[in-house]
Amino acid sequence: MNVALVSYEVHPFAKVGGLADVSGALPKALKRMGVNVKLFMPKHGIVDKNAQKFGLGIEKVLEGVDVPFVNGGGKVDVYRSHLPKSDVEVYMIWNPEYFKYEGVYDAEDIGRQAIFFSCAVFGVFKALDFKPDVVHANDWQTGLIPVYLKTNLRDDPFFRDTATVYTIHNLGYQGVFSREYLEFAGLPVYLFNIDALEFYGQINFMKGGILFSNVVNTVSPTYAEEIQTPEYGAKLEGVLKVRSADLYGVLNGIDYEEYNPATDKRIYVNYDINNLDKKYMNKSRLQEELRLEVRDDLPLVSMINRLVDQKGLDLLMDVADYLMMLPVQFVLLGTGDPKYENFFQEFARRYPGRASVNIKFDAELAQKIYAGSDIFLIPSKYEPCGLGQMFSMRYGTIPVVRYTGGLADTVFEYDPVRKEGNGFGFVDYKSSELLKSLAKAVYFCTMRKDDWRRIIVNAMSTDCSWDRSADEYLKLYNIAREKQ
Ligand code: ADP
């Protein structure tokens, strides 16, 4: 089966959040299962630097490929690399005007850039003579791909058998633009219609992906249910309900080869489930590096996240000083909204030696934190899947979460009687609930050592690998082909 996975982010070439992790890991697992999968992404400015950092070569393979449909036309060059430690090909699409930006989402007019990229992909498939059985599109940036296939390309023999799977990684970002973008996209005007792309007087790319693909999925079973309700549906709940028979939830995994505490070169000391004392060596080295007091008796509570409203930071801000009344240290790594950046920087100044706040994107420090801390906090308002809890569990760091979306599907409350469960959490979105849950984790960590060891073992044994989920994607690809 030929599969084209199309994404704006692919780890390690360009990453902002979880989308990159998924695009960088799922294809490797699919390839192992015999699927002929190729990746297609924009060649963002940052790609060259990251490729170099990972020792990955990039070669130009095509020049001057025509971009169909888009108003004014255009041409792209195509570069090729591969995912680390695999033979999965990554095709990168470039044009001097549309892809002159350094970061993934830096374009002034990202709507036009996304349209141009989506159109270019079709030209590139033909130029490579790569006939996909399934195009797997991801998030709003590629939401128009299924729309073109069902409209402008409907009678094109090259794509006659091409089915589509559309994955929603985060419903909070839908790609909503004024109706003129439809003209730029070269799509039929009748799509400006409530049963198609129209959305409160504008057009919505994600709505296109949802309505025009053969199969829709999101990244956890709980989120797939939640988004059909007004609380989580971000005004698309009605549209999602229309597709509910074709709407699936497939949990993400993480790359178990790359993220393995026994071999990860980024952490201070390697360890596994049988020598957890070495995990604590990571803790003391991390404390030194972050200028925290080197104390093994204080649980180190960490958080690594984009600092945006979705992540439940308002709850944490509410109880930050109460948190510090517990016998803990706190470390934060993240960038985002200045209101959060400023608050936590000021907070760290008030707790020297006990709180470390790092406002930057730093993949290496992230791994050191996953390895070196005791408790990992994710109190999200909503969380399509969440990867942080999976990384932390893999490194024996116990998650404290709000039970929503993928967090509810992967973290289970520890039961000291049955010795089951891999973390702690709360349901009601309230700061007092967050504090209670954290206090419970701190209690087990400091006072119930045998239980804590058991929780760590349970967490490290939780299967968050891609193999399980890749199998489910393969099923979705087959369902999509049947429906085509
Ligand atoms: P989202 O996709 O909403 O950002 P996820 O939990 O799915 O959330 O994925 C977040 C990913 O980004 C994780 O791999 C996390 O470790 C990483 N990450 C987030 N912020 C940073 C940062 N400042 N530095 C390094 N890694 C980060």
Side-chain angles (χ1 to χ4, degrees), residues 2 4 6 40 66 68-69 118-135 145-164 214 481 484:
N2 287 342
V6 190
F40 295 83
D66 280 319
F69 314 127
S118 299
C119 292
V121 162
F122 296 116
V124 173
F125 290 157
K126 284 190 175 172
L128 292 171
D129 197 24
F130 181 65
K131 242 184 217 169
D133 297 299
V134 177
V135 176
I145 287 178
V147 182
Y148 283 107
L149 282 165
K150 284 273 190 291
T151 54
N152 299 28
L153 288 166
R154 193 172 37 202
D155 299 321
D156 188 322
F158 191 88
F159 295 108
R160 193 180 39 225
D161 298 323
T162 302
T164 46
N214 297 104
R481 290 178 75 185
Q484 172 58 15

mmCIF file of all heavy atoms in Angstrom, residues 2 4 6 40 66 68-69 118-135 145-164 214 481 484:
data_model
loop_
_atom_site.group_PDB
_atom_site.id
_atom_site.type_symbol
_atom_site.label_atom_id
_atom_site.label_comp_id
_atom_site.label_asym_id
_atom_site.label_seq_id
_atom_site.Cartn_x
_atom_site.Cartn_y
_atom_site.Cartn_z
ATOM 1 N N ASN A 2 0.596 2.193 -0.924
ATOM 2 C CA ASN A 2 1.331 3.462 -0.948
ATOM 3 C C ASN A 2 0.607 4.496 -0.083
ATOM 4 O O ASN A 2 -0.564 4.777 -0.318
ATOM 5 C CB ASN A 2 1.373 4.036 -2.372
ATOM 6 C CG ASN A 2 2.316 3.259 -3.268
ATOM 7 O OD1 ASN A 2 3.177 2.524 -2.787
ATOM 8 N ND2 ASN A 2 2.143 3.426 -4.576
ATOM 9 N N ALA A 4 0.897 8.479 1.483
ATOM 10 C CA ALA A 4 1.586 9.770 1.570
ATOM 11 C C ALA A 4 1.124 10.448 2.847
ATOM 12 O O ALA A 4 -0.057 10.767 2.983
ATOM 13 C CB ALA A 4 1.233 10.625 0.356
ATOM 14 N N VAL A 6 1.171 13.707 4.950
ATOM 15 C CA VAL A 6 1.463 15.117 4.680
ATOM 16 C C VAL A 6 1.316 15.913 5.972
ATOM 17 O O VAL A 6 0.274 15.843 6.634
ATOM 18 C CB VAL A 6 0.487 15.669 3.613
ATOM 19 C CG1 VAL A 6 0.938 17.044 3.140
ATOM 20 C CG2 VAL A 6 0.384 14.710 2.433
ATOM 21 N N PHE A 40 5.639 14.058 3.257
ATOM 22 C CA PHE A 40 5.692 15.301 2.478
ATOM 23 C C PHE A 40 5.503 16.472 3.429
ATOM 24 O O PHE A 40 4.522 16.517 4.184
ATOM 25 C CB PHE A 40 4.611 15.287 1.396
ATOM 26 C CG PHE A 40 4.844 14.204 0.378
ATOM 27 C CD1 PHE A 40 4.428 12.900 0.628
ATOM 28 C CD2 PHE A 40 5.531 14.464 -0.802
ATOM 29 C CE1 PHE A 40 4.671 11.879 -0.281
ATOM 30 C CE2 PHE A 40 5.785 13.452 -1.725
ATOM 31 C CZ PHE A 40 5.351 12.157 -1.460
ATOM 32 N N ASP A 66 5.404 22.197 -11.411
ATOM 33 C CA ASP A 66 4.246 23.105 -11.479
ATOM 34 C C ASP A 66 3.272 22.860 -10.338
ATOM 35 O O ASP A 66 2.961 21.720 -10.003
ATOM 36 C CB ASP A 66 3.491 22.891 -12.803
ATOM 37 C CG ASP A 66 4.190 23.626 -13.939
ATOM 38 O OD1 ASP A 66 4.628 24.774 -13.704
ATOM 39 O OD2 ASP A 66 4.315 23.027 -15.021
ATOM 40 N N PRO A 68 -0.510 23.127 -9.252
ATOM 41 C CA PRO A 68 -1.814 23.293 -9.891
ATOM 42 C C PRO A 68 -2.782 24.155 -9.065
ATOM 43 O O PRO A 68 -2.551 24.372 -7.877
ATOM 44 C CB PRO A 68 -2.338 21.859 -9.988
ATOM 45 C CG PRO A 68 -1.688 21.135 -8.858
ATOM 46 C CD PRO A 68 -0.351 21.792 -8.640
ATOM 47 N N PHE A 69 -3.828 24.566 -9.708
ATOM 48 C CA PHE A 69 -5.018 25.222 -9.100
ATOM 49 C C PHE A 69 -4.798 26.620 -8.542
ATOM 50 O O PHE A 69 -5.617 27.500 -8.717
ATOM 51 C CB PHE A 69 -5.651 24.348 -7.990
ATOM 52 C CG PHE A 69 -5.808 22.923 -8.363
ATOM 53 C CD1 PHE A 69 -5.317 21.905 -7.570
ATOM 54 C CD2 PHE A 69 -6.436 22.584 -9.572
ATOM 55 C CE1 PHE A 69 -5.459 20.578 -7.946
ATOM 56 C CE2 PHE A 69 -6.576 21.256 -9.947
ATOM 57 C CZ PHE A 69 -6.079 20.257 -9.134
ATOM 58 N N SER A 118 -0.499 22.736 -0.098
ATOM 59 C CA SER A 118 -1.445 21.638 -0.371
ATOM 60 C C SER A 118 -1.554 21.375 -1.869
ATOM 61 O O SER A 118 -1.598 20.218 -2.304
ATOM 62 C CB SER A 118 -2.829 21.974 0.188
ATOM 63 O OG SER A 118 -2.754 22.153 1.582
ATOM 64 N N CYS A 119 -1.592 22.455 -2.665
ATOM 65 C CA CYS A 119 -1.666 22.278 -4.122
ATOM 66 C C CYS A 119 -0.370 21.668 -4.644
ATOM 67 O O CYS A 119 -0.375 20.779 -5.511
ATOM 68 C CB CYS A 119 -1.908 23.627 -4.801
ATOM 69 S SG CYS A 119 -3.537 24.298 -4.466
ATOM 70 N N ALA A 120 0.754 22.162 -4.116
ATOM 71 C CA ALA A 120 2.059 21.684 -4.599
ATOM 72 C C ALA A 120 2.193 20.175 -4.427
ATOM 73 O O ALA A 120 2.753 19.484 -5.279
ATOM 74 C CB ALA A 120 3.179 22.397 -3.841
ATOM 75 N N VAL A 121 1.653 19.659 -3.322
ATOM 76 C CA VAL A 121 1.756 18.237 -3.033
ATOM 77 C C VAL A 121 1.238 17.397 -4.216
ATOM 78 O O VAL A 121 1.851 16.401 -4.610
ATOM 79 C CB VAL A 121 0.969 17.922 -1.731
ATOM 80 C CG1 VAL A 121 0.662 16.452 -1.609
ATOM 81 C CG2 VAL A 121 1.754 18.412 -0.520
ATOM 82 N N PHE A 122 0.135 17.834 -4.834
ATOM 83 C CA PHE A 122 -0.430 17.062 -5.959
ATOM 84 C C PHE A 122 0.514 17.065 -7.164
ATOM 85 O O PHE A 122 0.690 16.046 -7.819
ATOM 86 C CB PHE A 122 -1.801 17.623 -6.357
ATOM 87 C CG PHE A 122 -2.826 17.475 -5.261
ATOM 88 C CD1 PHE A 122 -3.380 18.589 -4.654
ATOM 89 C CD2 PHE A 122 -3.224 16.224 -4.833
ATOM 90 C CE1 PHE A 122 -4.320 18.456 -3.638
ATOM 91 C CE2 PHE A 122 -4.164 16.074 -3.816
ATOM 92 C CZ PHE A 122 -4.709 17.204 -3.215
ATOM 93 N N GLY A 123 1.118 18.228 -7.412
ATOM 94 C CA GLY A 123 2.088 18.303 -8.513
ATOM 95 C C GLY A 123 3.278 17.388 -8.242
ATOM 96 O O GLY A 123 3.777 16.711 -9.146
ATOM 97 N N VAL A 124 3.700 17.359 -6.989
ATOM 98 C CA VAL A 124 4.882 16.561 -6.621
ATOM 99 C C VAL A 124 4.577 15.057 -6.719
ATOM 100 O O VAL A 124 5.397 14.285 -7.216
ATOM 101 C CB VAL A 124 5.374 16.956 -5.208
ATOM 102 C CG1 VAL A 124 6.485 16.025 -4.726
ATOM 103 C CG2 VAL A 124 5.856 18.407 -5.199
ATOM 104 N N PHE A 125 3.387 14.634 -6.305
ATOM 105 C CA PHE A 125 3.019 13.213 -6.448
ATOM 106 C C PHE A 125 3.183 12.791 -7.911
ATOM 107 O O PHE A 125 3.757 11.758 -8.214
ATOM 108 C CB PHE A 125 1.554 12.956 -6.050
ATOM 109 C CG PHE A 125 1.258 13.081 -4.574
ATOM 110 C CD1 PHE A 125 -0.037 13.355 -4.140
ATOM 111 C CD2 PHE A 125 2.251 12.908 -3.630
ATOM 112 C CE1 PHE A 125 -0.337 13.461 -2.784
ATOM 113 C CE2 PHE A 125 1.965 13.015 -2.266
ATOM 114 C CZ PHE A 125 0.672 13.298 -1.851
ATOM 115 N N LYS A 126 2.681 13.628 -8.795
ATOM 116 C CA LYS A 126 2.735 13.263 -10.221
ATOM 117 C C LYS A 126 4.172 13.289 -10.731
ATOM 118 O O LYS A 126 4.592 12.383 -11.456
ATOM 119 C CB LYS A 126 1.872 14.228 -11.039
ATOM 120 C CG LYS A 126 0.386 13.931 -10.898
ATOM 121 C CD LYS A 126 -0.418 14.726 -11.907
ATOM 122 C CE LYS A 126 -1.886 14.319 -11.832
ATOM 123 N NZ LYS A 126 -2.755 15.177 -12.641
ATOM 124 N N ALA A 127 4.919 14.311 -10.322
ATOM 125 C CA ALA A 127 6.302 14.421 -10.801
ATOM 126 C C ALA A 127 7.137 13.227 -10.320
ATOM 127 O O ALA A 127 8.067 12.795 -10.994
ATOM 128 C CB ALA A 127 6.919 15.731 -10.322
ATOM 129 N N LEU A 128 6.803 12.707 -9.151
ATOM 130 C CA LEU A 128 7.531 11.540 -8.624
ATOM 131 C C LEU A 128 6.934 10.231 -9.137
ATOM 132 O O LEU A 128 7.442 9.156 -8.842
ATOM 133 C CB LEU A 128 7.464 11.514 -7.086
ATOM 134 C CG LEU A 128 8.207 12.601 -6.314
ATOM 135 C CD1 LEU A 128 7.843 12.536 -4.828
ATOM 136 C CD2 LEU A 128 9.714 12.443 -6.471
ATOM 137 N N ASP A 129 5.831 10.349 -9.844
ATOM 138 C CA ASP A 129 5.036 9.196 -10.265
ATOM 139 C C ASP A 129 4.698 8.311 -9.052
ATOM 140 O O ASP A 129 4.787 7.084 -9.096
ATOM 141 C CB ASP A 129 5.762 8.378 -11.339
ATOM 142 C CG ASP A 129 4.777 7.443 -12.054
ATOM 143 O OD1 ASP A 129 3.562 7.746 -12.049
ATOM 144 O OD2 ASP A 129 5.226 6.403 -12.575
ATOM 145 N N PHE A 130 4.335 8.977 -7.962
ATOM 146 C CA PHE A 130 3.952 8.273 -6.730
ATOM 147 C C PHE A 130 2.440 8.379 -6.591
ATOM 148 O O PHE A 130 1.893 9.438 -6.328
ATOM 149 C CB PHE A 130 4.652 8.916 -5.522
ATOM 150 C CG PHE A 130 4.325 8.240 -4.208
ATOM 151 C CD1 PHE A 130 4.720 6.934 -3.958
ATOM 152 C CD2 PHE A 130 3.630 8.927 -3.211
ATOM 153 C CE1 PHE A 130 4.427 6.314 -2.746
ATOM 154 C CE2 PHE A 130 3.331 8.307 -1.996
ATOM 155 C CZ PHE A 130 3.727 6.999 -1.771
ATOM 156 N N LYS A 131 1.768 7.246 -6.820
ATOM 157 C CA LYS A 131 0.302 7.207 -6.764
ATOM 158 C C LYS A 131 -0.121 6.729 -5.392
ATOM 159 O O LYS A 131 -0.062 5.521 -5.112
ATOM 160 C CB LYS A 131 -0.209 6.201 -7.808
ATOM 161 C CG LYS A 131 -1.077 6.809 -8.857
ATOM 162 C CD LYS A 131 -1.627 5.764 -9.786
ATOM 163 C CE LYS A 131 -1.636 6.385 -11.169
ATOM 164 N NZ LYS A 131 -1.893 5.535 -12.251
ATOM 165 N N PRO A 132 -0.556 7.640 -4.502
ATOM 166 C CA PRO A 132 -0.901 7.167 -3.162
ATOM 167 C C PRO A 132 -2.231 6.424 -3.150
ATOM 168 O O PRO A 132 -3.201 6.870 -3.758
ATOM 169 C CB PRO A 132 -1.014 8.454 -2.341
ATOM 170 C CG PRO A 132 -0.745 9.593 -3.254
ATOM 171 C CD PRO A 132 -0.735 9.090 -4.661
ATOM 172 N N ASP A 133 -2.269 5.291 -2.462
ATOM 173 C CA ASP A 133 -3.559 4.648 -2.189
ATOM 174 C C ASP A 133 -4.281 5.438 -1.113
ATOM 175 O O ASP A 133 -5.503 5.503 -1.096
ATOM 176 C CB ASP A 133 -3.345 3.206 -1.720
ATOM 177 C CG ASP A 133 -2.681 2.370 -2.799
ATOM 178 O OD1 ASP A 133 -3.286 2.245 -3.871
ATOM 179 O OD2 ASP A 133 -1.555 1.885 -2.579
ATOM 180 N N VAL A 134 -3.496 5.986 -0.197
ATOM 181 C CA VAL A 134 -4.069 6.812 0.868
ATOM 182 C C VAL A 134 -3.219 8.065 1.040
ATOM 183 O O VAL A 134 -1.992 7.970 1.135
ATOM 184 C CB VAL A 134 -4.094 6.051 2.221
ATOM 185 C CG1 VAL A 134 -4.639 6.954 3.335
ATOM 186 C CG2 VAL A 134 -4.929 4.782 2.117
ATOM 187 N N VAL A 135 -3.888 9.222 1.055
ATOM 188 C CA VAL A 135 -3.209 10.430 1.518
ATOM 189 C C VAL A 135 -3.657 10.642 2.957
ATOM 190 O O VAL A 135 -4.850 10.717 3.238
ATOM 191 C CB VAL A 135 -3.558 11.668 0.672
ATOM 192 C CG1 VAL A 135 -2.894 12.911 1.266
ATOM 193 C CG2 VAL A 135 -3.115 11.482 -0.761
ATOM 194 N N ILE A 145 -6.564 19.322 1.358
ATOM 195 C CA ILE A 145 -6.140 18.230 0.469
ATOM 196 C C ILE A 145 -7.309 17.283 0.142
ATOM 197 O O ILE A 145 -7.572 17.000 -1.037
ATOM 198 C CB ILE A 145 -4.907 17.498 1.055
ATOM 199 C CG1 ILE A 145 -3.687 18.416 0.891
ATOM 200 C CG2 ILE A 145 -4.685 16.146 0.407
ATOM 201 C CD1 ILE A 145 -2.395 17.869 1.449
ATOM 202 N N PRO A 146 -8.048 16.813 1.136
ATOM 203 C CA PRO A 146 -9.217 15.969 0.804
ATOM 204 C C PRO A 146 -10.258 16.724 -0.024
ATOM 205 O O PRO A 146 -10.972 16.114 -0.829
ATOM 206 C CB PRO A 146 -9.804 15.594 2.176
ATOM 207 C CG PRO A 146 -8.701 15.832 3.158
ATOM 208 C CD PRO A 146 -7.860 16.931 2.599
ATOM 209 N N VAL A 147 -10.335 18.042 0.163
ATOM 210 C CA VAL A 147 -11.307 18.842 -0.595
ATOM 211 C C VAL A 147 -10.931 18.847 -2.088
ATOM 212 O O VAL A 147 -11.777 18.621 -2.957
ATOM 213 C CB VAL A 147 -11.378 20.288 -0.047
ATOM 214 C CG1 VAL A 147 -12.426 21.090 -0.814
ATOM 215 C CG2 VAL A 147 -11.681 20.290 1.455
ATOM 216 N N TYR A 148 -9.671 19.084 -2.409
ATOM 217 C CA TYR A 148 -9.241 19.057 -3.817
ATOM 218 C C TYR A 148 -9.511 17.698 -4.448
ATOM 219 O O TYR A 148 -9.936 17.601 -5.600
ATOM 220 C CB TYR A 148 -7.737 19.358 -3.931
ATOM 221 C CG TYR A 148 -7.389 20.824 -3.780
ATOM 222 C CD1 TYR A 148 -6.778 21.303 -2.633
ATOM 223 C CD2 TYR A 148 -7.670 21.742 -4.802
ATOM 224 C CE1 TYR A 148 -6.449 22.638 -2.483
ATOM 225 C CE2 TYR A 148 -7.348 23.088 -4.665
ATOM 226 C CZ TYR A 148 -6.742 23.527 -3.508
ATOM 227 O OH TYR A 148 -6.421 24.852 -3.380
ATOM 228 N N LEU A 149 -9.242 16.646 -3.686
ATOM 229 C CA LEU A 149 -9.421 15.303 -4.253
ATOM 230 C C LEU A 149 -10.874 15.029 -4.609
ATOM 231 O O LEU A 149 -11.170 14.313 -5.561
ATOM 232 C CB LEU A 149 -8.895 14.236 -3.276
ATOM 233 C CG LEU A 149 -7.372 14.095 -3.266
ATOM 234 C CD1 LEU A 149 -6.902 13.313 -2.044
ATOM 235 C CD2 LEU A 149 -6.875 13.404 -4.544
ATOM 236 N N LYS A 150 -11.787 15.629 -3.850
ATOM 237 C CA LYS A 150 -13.211 15.370 -4.110
ATOM 238 C C LYS A 150 -13.820 16.399 -5.069
ATOM 239 O O LYS A 150 -14.977 16.271 -5.458
ATOM 240 C CB LYS A 150 -13.998 15.416 -2.791
ATOM 241 C CG LYS A 150 -13.832 14.181 -1.929
ATOM 242 C CD LYS A 150 -14.838 13.093 -2.317
ATOM 243 C CE LYS A 150 -14.901 11.928 -1.373
ATOM 244 N NZ LYS A 150 -13.744 11.065 -1.339
ATOM 245 N N THR A 151 -13.062 17.435 -5.427
ATOM 246 C CA THR A 151 -13.615 18.461 -6.336
ATOM 247 C C THR A 151 -12.735 18.575 -7.579
ATOM 248 O O THR A 151 -12.928 17.831 -8.531
ATOM 249 C CB THR A 151 -13.737 19.820 -5.611
ATOM 250 O OG1 THR A 151 -12.470 20.190 -5.048
ATOM 251 C CG2 THR A 151 -14.762 19.746 -4.489
ATOM 252 N N ASN A 152 -11.732 19.420 -7.533
ATOM 253 C CA ASN A 152 -10.899 19.665 -8.719
ATOM 254 C C ASN A 152 -10.281 18.398 -9.305
ATOM 255 O O ASN A 152 -10.057 18.310 -10.504
ATOM 256 C CB ASN A 152 -9.749 20.631 -8.370
ATOM 257 C CG ASN A 152 -10.253 21.974 -7.912
ATOM 258 O OD1 ASN A 152 -11.348 22.060 -7.368
ATOM 259 N ND2 ASN A 152 -9.489 23.023 -8.123
ATOM 260 N N LEU A 153 -9.996 17.407 -8.448
ATOM 261 C CA LEU A 153 -9.282 16.217 -8.920
ATOM 262 C C LEU A 153 -10.182 15.005 -9.096
ATOM 263 O O LEU A 153 -9.704 13.904 -9.349
ATOM 264 C CB LEU A 153 -8.155 15.874 -7.932
ATOM 265 C CG LEU A 153 -6.962 16.836 -7.943
ATOM 266 C CD1 LEU A 153 -6.084 16.620 -6.715
ATOM 267 C CD2 LEU A 153 -6.130 16.648 -9.211
ATOM 268 N N ARG A 154 -11.483 15.224 -8.973
ATOM 269 C CA ARG A 154 -12.397 14.079 -8.954
ATOM 270 C C ARG A 154 -12.284 13.215 -10.216
ATOM 271 O O ARG A 154 -12.368 12.001 -10.159
ATOM 272 C CB ARG A 154 -13.839 14.568 -8.786
ATOM 273 C CG ARG A 154 -14.783 13.448 -8.452
ATOM 274 C CD ARG A 154 -16.147 13.942 -8.091
ATOM 275 N NE ARG A 154 -16.524 15.095 -8.897
ATOM 276 C CZ ARG A 154 -17.435 15.986 -8.554
ATOM 277 N NH1 ARG A 154 -18.070 15.866 -7.430
ATOM 278 N NH2 ARG A 154 -17.716 17.006 -9.340
ATOM 279 N N ASP A 155 -12.048 13.878 -11.348
ATOM 280 C CA ASP A 155 -11.996 13.106 -12.591
ATOM 281 C C ASP A 155 -10.576 12.841 -13.073
ATOM 282 O O ASP A 155 -10.369 12.443 -14.214
ATOM 283 C CB ASP A 155 -12.795 13.838 -13.678
ATOM 284 C CG ASP A 155 -14.258 13.974 -13.269
ATOM 285 O OD1 ASP A 155 -14.790 13.006 -12.673
ATOM 286 O OD2 ASP A 155 -14.851 15.045 -13.506
ATOM 287 N N ASP A 156 -9.614 13.100 -12.236
ATOM 288 C CA ASP A 156 -8.221 12.891 -12.632
ATOM 289 C C ASP A 156 -7.863 11.416 -12.435
ATOM 290 O O ASP A 156 -7.872 10.905 -11.310
ATOM 291 C CB ASP A 156 -7.313 13.776 -11.753
ATOM 292 C CG ASP A 156 -5.873 13.759 -12.226
ATOM 293 O OD1 ASP A 156 -5.392 12.687 -12.657
ATOM 294 O OD2 ASP A 156 -5.230 14.825 -12.171
ATOM 295 N N PRO A 157 -7.549 10.694 -13.523
ATOM 296 C CA PRO A 157 -7.306 9.253 -13.400
ATOM 297 C C PRO A 157 -6.147 8.916 -12.461
ATOM 298 O O PRO A 157 -6.144 7.858 -11.829
ATOM 299 C CB PRO A 157 -6.994 8.802 -14.829
ATOM 300 C CG PRO A 157 -6.860 10.034 -15.648
ATOM 301 C CD PRO A 157 -7.448 11.185 -14.902
ATOM 302 N N PHE A 158 -5.184 9.838 -12.347
ATOM 303 C CA PHE A 158 -4.026 9.567 -11.480
ATOM 304 C C PHE A 158 -4.476 9.339 -10.038
ATOM 305 O O PHE A 158 -3.888 8.562 -9.306
ATOM 306 C CB PHE A 158 -3.045 10.753 -11.550
ATOM 307 C CG PHE A 158 -1.702 10.466 -10.918
ATOM 308 C CD1 PHE A 158 -0.673 9.890 -11.656
ATOM 309 C CD2 PHE A 158 -1.463 10.758 -9.576
ATOM 310 C CE1 PHE A 158 0.564 9.621 -11.077
ATOM 311 C CE2 PHE A 158 -0.230 10.488 -8.982
ATOM 312 C CZ PHE A 158 0.784 9.922 -9.734
ATOM 313 N N PHE A 159 -5.516 10.050 -9.622
ATOM 314 C CA PHE A 159 -5.954 9.978 -8.222
ATOM 315 C C PHE A 159 -7.264 9.203 -8.054
ATOM 316 O O PHE A 159 -7.909 9.290 -7.018
ATOM 317 C CB PHE A 159 -6.120 11.398 -7.648
ATOM 318 C CG PHE A 159 -4.819 12.158 -7.564
ATOM 319 C CD1 PHE A 159 -4.540 13.207 -8.429
ATOM 320 C CD2 PHE A 159 -3.859 11.799 -6.632
ATOM 321 C CE1 PHE A 159 -3.334 13.898 -8.348
ATOM 322 C CE2 PHE A 159 -2.651 12.488 -6.541
ATOM 323 C CZ PHE A 159 -2.390 13.539 -7.405
ATOM 324 N N ARG A 160 -7.644 8.434 -9.090
ATOM 325 C CA ARG A 160 -8.945 7.787 -9.045
ATOM 326 C C ARG A 160 -9.127 6.903 -7.799
ATOM 327 O O ARG A 160 -10.176 6.882 -7.182
ATOM 328 C CB ARG A 160 -9.163 6.960 -10.317
ATOM 329 C CG ARG A 160 -10.635 6.534 -10.469
ATOM 330 C CD ARG A 160 -10.873 5.715 -11.718
ATOM 331 N NE ARG A 160 -9.781 4.798 -11.950
ATOM 332 C CZ ARG A 160 -9.205 4.609 -13.137
ATOM 333 N NH1 ARG A 160 -9.621 5.255 -14.191
ATOM 334 N NH2 ARG A 160 -8.210 3.754 -13.270
ATOM 335 N N ASP A 161 -8.051 6.211 -7.416
ATOM 336 C CA ASP A 161 -8.188 5.281 -6.285
ATOM 337 C C ASP A 161 -7.650 5.853 -4.970
ATOM 338 O O ASP A 161 -7.493 5.124 -3.996
ATOM 339 C CB ASP A 161 -7.442 3.971 -6.603
ATOM 340 C CG ASP A 161 -8.036 3.292 -7.817
ATOM 341 O OD1 ASP A 161 -9.276 3.354 -7.973
ATOM 342 O OD2 ASP A 161 -7.265 2.739 -8.627
ATOM 343 N N THR A 162 -7.331 7.137 -4.971
ATOM 344 C CA THR A 162 -6.711 7.710 -3.768
ATOM 345 C C THR A 162 -7.747 8.014 -2.692
ATOM 346 O O THR A 162 -8.645 8.839 -2.894
ATOM 347 C CB THR A 162 -5.939 9.002 -4.124
ATOM 348 O OG1 THR A 162 -4.956 8.682 -5.114
ATOM 349 C CG2 THR A 162 -5.259 9.589 -2.891
ATOM 350 N N ALA A 163 -7.622 7.355 -1.555
ATOM 351 C CA ALA A 163 -8.510 7.614 -0.406
ATOM 352 C C ALA A 163 -7.811 8.574 0.553
ATOM 353 O O ALA A 163 -6.603 8.803 0.447
ATOM 354 C CB ALA A 163 -8.827 6.304 0.299
ATOM 355 N N THR A 164 -8.590 9.130 1.482
ATOM 356 C CA THR A 164 -7.979 10.080 2.424
ATOM 357 C C THR A 164 -8.342 9.744 3.869
ATOM 358 O O THR A 164 -9.470 9.372 4.193
ATOM 359 C CB THR A 164 -8.464 11.520 2.149
ATOM 360 O OG1 THR A 164 -9.874 11.493 1.969
ATOM 361 C CG2 THR A 164 -7.798 12.115 0.940
ATOM 362 N N ASN A 214 -12.341 10.419 3.615
ATOM 363 C CA ASN A 214 -13.072 9.158 3.763
ATOM 364 C C ASN A 214 -13.194 8.751 5.227
ATOM 365 O O ASN A 214 -14.219 8.224 5.646
ATOM 366 C CB ASN A 214 -12.366 8.033 2.992
ATOM 367 C CG ASN A 214 -12.339 8.305 1.504
ATOM 368 O OD1 ASN A 214 -11.312 8.691 0.955
ATOM 369 N ND2 ASN A 214 -13.482 8.163 0.849
ATOM 370 N N ARG A 481 -9.973 3.092 2.205
ATOM 371 C CA ARG A 481 -9.941 2.577 0.822
ATOM 372 C C ARG A 481 -11.261 1.906 0.456
ATOM 373 O O ARG A 481 -11.732 2.018 -0.678
ATOM 374 C CB ARG A 481 -8.780 1.591 0.655
ATOM 375 C CG ARG A 481 -7.442 2.296 0.712
ATOM 376 C CD ARG A 481 -6.312 1.314 0.593
ATOM 377 N NE ARG A 481 -6.161 0.834 -0.783
ATOM 378 C CZ ARG A 481 -5.304 -0.113 -1.124
ATOM 379 N NH1 ARG A 481 -4.536 -0.691 -0.224
ATOM 380 N NH2 ARG A 481 -5.214 -0.505 -2.379
ATOM 381 N N GLN A 484 -13.718 4.549 -0.442
ATOM 382 C CA GLN A 484 -13.389 5.419 -1.586
ATOM 383 C C GLN A 484 -14.215 5.026 -2.812
ATOM 384 O O GLN A 484 -14.332 3.878 -3.143
ATOM 385 C CB GLN A 484 -11.886 5.345 -1.860
ATOM 386 C CG GLN A 484 -11.414 6.032 -3.099
ATOM 387 C CD GLN A 484 -11.754 7.532 -3.149
ATOM 388 O OE1 GLN A 484 -12.107 8.118 -2.130
ATOM 389 N NE2 GLN A 484 -11.695 8.120 -4.321
#
